[in-house]
Amino acid sequence: MQIRQEAAGTEDAWKLAGKAPGLQIWRIEKFKVVAWPKDQYGKFYEGDSYIVLNTYKKPDVEKLFYDVHFWIGKDSTQDEYGTAAYKTVELDDFLGGDPVQHREIQGSESRLFLSYFKSVQFLSGGVETGFRAVKPTEYRPRLLHIKGARQIVIREVEMSTKSLNKGDVFILDAGLDIYQLTTSKSGGMERVKAAEFARSLDDERGGKPTVHVFSEDDNDKAAVAFWTHLGGRGAIAEPTPDVPQKSELRLFRVSDASGKLQMTEVTPAKRASMDSNDAFIVDAGHEVFVWIGKNASKDERKHGLGYATDYLFKNNRPKSLPISRVIEGGENESFESVWK
């Protein structure tokens, strides 16, 4: 472990990583780890991969604790994905193997990941597409979907009436004209965050844009312009609220005690059924955890994540489910809440 930790120390990006409580984000740019500007925290481009480190303290404990996430945009290249995964392991080594590791796939982010931000924006573009800030008059029109209650998520969606529904708020950003469609069944927090976001765009562009706010039944000049951008007025779908999928908690042991590495289901699926000698896979429904016991063997530690990924495929579970690796003694609140 010491050799791996020393090797990880050669990465300049990690020199200040995890030194104090707080959030740090890096983007993968042509195989390199580049610090993401703090004023861009919460913005993620679909063509990129990112590493997100949250450093925190627990009450009455001096040591620091860590959660490290690698986020994969839907249009991120395989090279970027692979580099993010590799560098996440390297950062874990640099921090002494203590962090809880998380894999985040765009569109299926864990609750913990979303909780770091007041609002999250998933936008088109990326380093490979040569994304750069552009002048408002040159801006490519884009339609943004604002949704959520506690955590607001802002996603760029197709410029079409098919993207609309009556339960959320939508912003059409046309550079010097910003159109906010406030639907009849949207939530109060969605409306507030949409207004804040529209104002932030206005501020970024020196107050030059005009912000137009209207409802689905309005037919004024702004509404007409909005519908024209979308190819003409059309029917808006009814809300499709998120219904939490209930899933029975399942627990599996990954052990080579028999001389061969095997994965077997454990019942009852309780915290007390786990022990320090092996690795365990916990399917909590919304997320899969790989828990590594203090006395787990090298193979159990090494192959736990692989078994978790294989489990998703063999049990018809969503392939995009977040997967987190937890070391015994370094459990975070997300893991502990599974057993409450």
Side-chain angles (χ1 to χ4, degrees):
M1 180 65 197
Q2 184 177 352
I3 295 175
R4 290 168 55 187
Q5 193 170 10
E6 290 174 354
T10 63
E11 170 57 69
D12 289 340
W14 306 148
K15 298 301 184 184
L16 299 177
K19 299 297 184 182
L23 197 66
Q24 294 170 280
I25 302 178
W26 300 267
R27 181 169 73 167
I28 303 302
E29 298 183 6
K30 301 185 185 302
F31 301 100
K32 295 183 179 180
V33 182
V34 179
W36 192 233
K38 288 188 179 296
D39 62 359
Q40 297 295 302
Y41 280 18
K43 290 184 180 180
F44 298 91
Y45 289 92
E46 296 176 341
D48 292 328
S49 294
Y50 297 78
I51 296 173
V52 177
L53 173 66
N54 184 47
T55 304
Y56 65 99
K57 298 188 74 172
K58 293 182 179 180
D60 303 319
V61 180
E62 281 301 314
K63 69 172 289 188
L64 295 171
F65 293 83
Y66 313 97
D67 283 285
V68 57
H69 308 249
F70 65 99
W71 182 88
I72 309 303
K74 69 180 185 67
D75 297 325
S76 179
T77 67
Q78 186 174 356
D79 285 343
E80 289 171 334
Y81 179 109
T83 302
Y86 167 75
K87 286 296 185 179
T88 296
V89 174
E90 186 181 81
L91 177 57
D92 180 271
D93 289 339
F94 179 77
L95 296 172
D98 290 336
V100 176
Q101 286 185 32
H102 309 264
R103 181 198 70 164
E104 306 283 353
I105 304 296
Q106 183 182 348
S108 299
E109 290 80 6
S110 66
R111 299 169 187 171
L112 180 63
F113 180 86
L114 294 176
S115 74
Y116 299 144
F117 313 99
K118 291 182 178 179
S119 65
V120 187
Q121 300 175 42
F122 300 121
L123 306 173
S124 295
V127 66
E128 286 299 324
T129 61
F131 174 85
R132 296 291 184 273
V134 295
K135 298 177 182 178
T137 53
E138 300 172 349
Y139 209 89
R140 170 185 60 83
R142 54 182 183 157
L143 182 63
L144 300 159
H145 179 191
I146 292 87
K147 183 179 182 64
R150 295 183 178 178
Q151 277 91 40
I152 297 294
V153 175
I154 303 173
R155 301 184 191 277
E156 185 170 349
V157 294
E158 181 185 351
M159 286 273 291
S160 167
T161 56
K162 294 184 296 184
S163 300
L164 306 177
N165 74 79
K166 295 181 180 180
D168 300 319
V169 180
F170 296 83
I171 286 180
L172 195 158
D173 177 9
L176 292 178
D177 285 288
I178 299 168
Y179 303 92
Q180 179 181 324
L181 170 61
T182 303
T183 60
S184 56
K185 299 178 182 178
S186 57
M189 186 57 68
E190 290 166 338
R191 299 182 185 196
V192 169
K193 288 297 181 181
E196 289 179 359
F197 180 67
R199 284 197 300 272
S200 72
L201 294 178
D202 185 33
D203 291 341
E204 284 178 5
R205 297 163 197 174
K208 294 179 180 179
T210 301
V211 178
H212 312 272
V213 181
F214 57 96
S215 67
E216 61 209 63
D217 296 324
D218 288 343
N219 198 32
D220 58 15
K221 186 177 179 180
V224 170
F226 173 86
W227 290 111
T228 299
H229 275 288
L230 269 59
R233 185 183 289 269
I236 301 180
E238 290 297 319
T240 53
D242 293 333
V243 178
Q245 293 187 350
K246 293 184 178 180
S247 180
E248 181 183 359
L249 184 67
R250 300 183 70 184
L251 178 65
F252 301 84
R253 181 189 300 269
V254 178
S255 175
D256 58 7
S258 65
K260 179 182 178 182
L261 196 62
Q262 295 178 314
M263 175 175 159
T264 56
E265 187 158 10
V266 178
T267 55
K270 294 183 177 180
R271 186 78 158 84
S273 298
M274 303 165 66
D275 65 73
S276 300
N277 297 315
D278 295 310
F280 290 81
I281 293 171
V282 183
D283 183 353
H286 64 283
E287 186 171 356
V288 172
F289 296 90
V290 180
W291 184 87
I292 308 296
K294 290 181 178 179
N295 301 323
S297 70
K298 181 179 178 180
D299 280 347
E300 292 165 353
R301 292 172 178 269
K302 181 178 179 181
H303 295 289
L305 280 171
Y307 270 87
T309 303
D310 194 47
Y311 164 78
L312 296 182
F313 281 87
K314 290 184 176 179
N315 289 269
N316 199 30
R317 303 289 284 126
K319 310 306 180 292
S320 58
L321 272 180
I323 298 177
S324 300
R325 190 210 66 170
V326 183
I327 301 296
E328 182 180 3
E331 296 87 351
N332 61 3
E333 180 58 31
S334 293
F335 178 80
E336 297 294 2
S337 67
V338 170
W339 313 101
K340 295 177 180 178

